[in-house]
Amino acid sequence: MKDFSAEVHGCHTYDATGAITAPIYLSATFHHPAFRRSTGYDYGRVANPTRRELEQTVALLEGGGRAWALSSGMAAINLVFALCAAGDHVLLSEDIYGGTVRLANEIYGRYGIEFEYVDTCDTALVQSKMRKETKLVFIETPSNPMMFVTDIRALIDVAHAGNALLVADNTFLSPHFQKPLALGADIVVESGTKYLCGHNDVICGFIAVKDGGSDLAERIELLVKSEGPNLAATDAWLMLRSIKTLGVRIERQAQNALAIAQWLGTLPEVTEVFYPGLPDHPGHDLQKSQSTGFGGMISFKVRTPEIAQKCLAHLRLIAFAESLGGVESLLTYPLVQTHAEMPAELIRRTGLDDRLLRLSVGIENVADIEEDLAQALRAAAREA
Ligand SMILES: Cc1ncc(COP(=O)(O)O)c(C=O)c1O
């Protein structure tokens, strides 16, 4: 099945009732027909039929052999770091979600795992940082919030040459536009809270691997059933419903985003626009070669920090809120929201500053989004 069809139909099969949508199985435990016999479902922490249908659907969309549906994107990233042991070394994109940095530095760093941040757009630099202890190369592309594009195929080669796993956080594009597993990545993680959900009403995450029978899949399965970070059945059902419209939502968001990115550059208050869909973005051609769309996320800088901060109170349609990927447009101030706990050194290296705003473009009429941004920036400039 191709995109759109796979999103609508997923792995659904009809039960005896012929129900078009998956039932919600709320049972925490399951009856055994006899000693050492199982229906395939024993206990809800290990497997649940509604969650299983969601996992099979996400594995299908990612081009993977196995996926796990978890309680948040951070739960997925936690499982990735839990694959490491004391003495291991992990390379990460230096422009990356602040929560990932916090988990690495504040939690896993204390267990003797070393995390090193590097510009993953520079393949030779990543190669030079590889050590025999390097266990993971963890990338975000496009990255949050500076929209840097990393060459996924090149970094897969670098990681594999050093016996490391290439992990891609695919949150910003979703499997509709980018399938790192199909390019050869070992693990994909995703905040399902964003585009896969699309309605800002479920917190959820996914981890997926290429080969469902591999040692890696077995290790993740062991972590999932031992640590219990799974998604609840009702949330799994909401996610199944959301994913049916992933393609139409994100295609519309990308269409709106391209128009807004082009238009933003004409505003007197705006000094820089970061959107890979713009032909002059340094990652434009690369992203075209490894994905089928540019997504709905735009970051931009305005003339002064005061304009960036004051415009937030003037928004009427767009919500000043963190998160992304929903049908409603959201404007975020990364320095004090999503990236508040980033070490100052990383902030300095990536160019994230107090003039940066991040727009998650929704599916509204593009003229309404532009009108709202224009009036909020104008009002802020008058006040500043
Ligand atoms: C790129 C990226 N990865 C992971 C996460 C974490 O996901 P969640 O909030 O679902 O835990 C986020 C959250 O904003 C994100 O932007």
Side-chain angles (χ1 to χ4, degrees):
M1 259 191 298
K2 300 192 172 45
D3 288 343
F4 291 108
S5 318
E7 289 150 13
V8 172
H9 294 281
C11 292
H12 189 62
T13 51
Y14 301 118
D15 65 11
T17 68
I20 294 287
T21 63
I24 307 178
Y25 287 91
L26 289 173
S27 195
T29 190
F30 297 83
H31 168 250
H32 299 287
F35 180 64
R36 288 201 191 287
R37 283 180 56 201
S38 165
T39 59
Y41 296 97
D42 302 326
Y43 186 62
R45 173 161 33 78
V46 182
N48 167 283
T50 315
R51 191 167 69 234
R52 182 55 56 82
E53 178 159 336
L54 172 63
E55 292 174 341
Q56 287 170 345
T57 296
V58 170
L60 175 76
L61 299 188
E62 293 282 5
R66 179 80 168 93
W68 292 263
L70 307 163
S71 59
S72 68
M74 288 317 303
I77 296 169
N78 177 66
L79 290 186
V80 170
F81 290 165
L83 294 169
C84 297
D88 285 344
H89 171 245
V90 178
L91 287 172
L92 302 98
S93 298
E94 65 187 7
D95 185 49
I96 196 163
Y97 172 55
T100 304
V101 175
R102 183 177 54 209
L103 181 68
N105 294 0
E106 302 297 322
I107 313 288
Y108 281 90
R110 295 189 181 183
Y111 299 156
I113 300 160
E114 191 185 337
F115 294 89
E116 186 177 357
Y117 301 87
V118 60
D119 175 4
T120 50
C121 302
D122 185 342
T123 304
L125 181 65
V126 179
Q127 185 142 30
S128 73
K129 298 278 181 185
M130 292 289 294
R131 307 180 194 160
K132 65 178 187 337
E133 298 83 15
T134 308
K135 170 99 182 190
L136 308 172
V137 178
F138 188 111
I139 60 170
E140 257 184 36
T141 179
S143 62
N144 183 3
M146 298 304 293
M147 309 301 293
F148 298 140
V149 180
T150 288
D151 187 337
I152 302 175
R153 291 185 185 91
L155 283 203
I156 288 166
D157 291 345
V158 168
H160 289 177
N163 291 322
L165 300 175
L166 193 286
V167 185
D169 183 331
N170 205 28
T171 299
F172 264 35
L173 289 181
S174 91
H176 183 80
F177 280 145
Q178 184 166 272
K179 299 185 198 302
L181 292 181
L183 298 177
D186 301 284
I187 302 178
V188 162
V189 290
E190 183 125 26
S191 169
T193 315
K194 317 301 187 199
Y195 287 100
L196 288 167
C197 171
H199 296 76
N200 288 314
D201 53 10
V202 181
I203 299 284
C204 124
F206 296 97
I207 179 167
V209 296
K210 184 88 193 154
D211 177 0
S214 60
D215 291 348
L216 177 60
E218 251 178 53
R219 185 76 198 159
I220 295 172
E221 181 69 34
L222 175 70
L223 284 166
V224 170
K225 72 178 178 198
S226 306
E227 296 189 350
N230 333 66
L231 192 66
T234 42
D235 284 348
W237 184 86
L238 274 168
M239 289 302 298
L240 279 166
R241 191 175 71 165
S242 291
I243 287 173
K244 288 176 188 287
T245 57
L246 170 66
V248 287
R249 284 186 280 105
I250 199 167
E251 293 270 354
R252 162 93 179 176
Q253 285 165 307
Q255 193 187 330
N256 277 356
L258 178 60
I260 292 167
Q262 286 163 338
W263 166 85
L264 272 172
T266 67
L267 296 186
E269 298 86 6
V270 174
T271 57
E272 281 163 279
V273 180
F274 309 98
Y275 180 64
L278 294 175
D280 61 356
H281 186 284
H284 178 79
D285 291 338
L286 177 58
Q287 188 163 324
K288 232 173 157 173
S289 75
Q290 62 190 17
S291 67
T292 55
F294 295 103
M297 297 301 297
I298 305 170
S299 291
F300 59 98
K301 287 189 182 179
V302 293
R303 279 194 285 110
T304 66
E306 291 72 30
I307 296 179
Q309 290 157 14
K310 286 184 188 294
C311 81
L312 301 168
H314 291 284
L315 294 168
R316 295 174 188 153
L317 177 84
I318 302 166
F320 166 36
E322 42 197 296
S323 202
L324 61 114
V327 290
E328 305 89 357
S329 294
L330 305 181
L331 195 62
T332 302
Y333 190 70
L335 194 61
V336 300
Q337 292 184 294
T338 50
H339 291 70
E341 290 165 65
M342 276 303 254
E345 164 65 7
L346 281 185
I347 300 263
R348 194 190 54 72
R349 268 156 52 179
T350 61
L352 198 181
D353 65 20
D354 53 5
R355 293 186 296 118
L356 188 85
L357 290 163
R358 193 192 73 184
L359 179 66
S360 170
V361 179
I363 65 166
E364 300 96 335
N365 188 305
V366 71
D368 287 330
I369 304 173
E370 290 178 358
E371 195 181 309
D372 195 30
L373 268 176
Q375 67 78 23
L377 289 169
R378 256 197 324 269
R382 271 197 307 273
E383 279 175 15

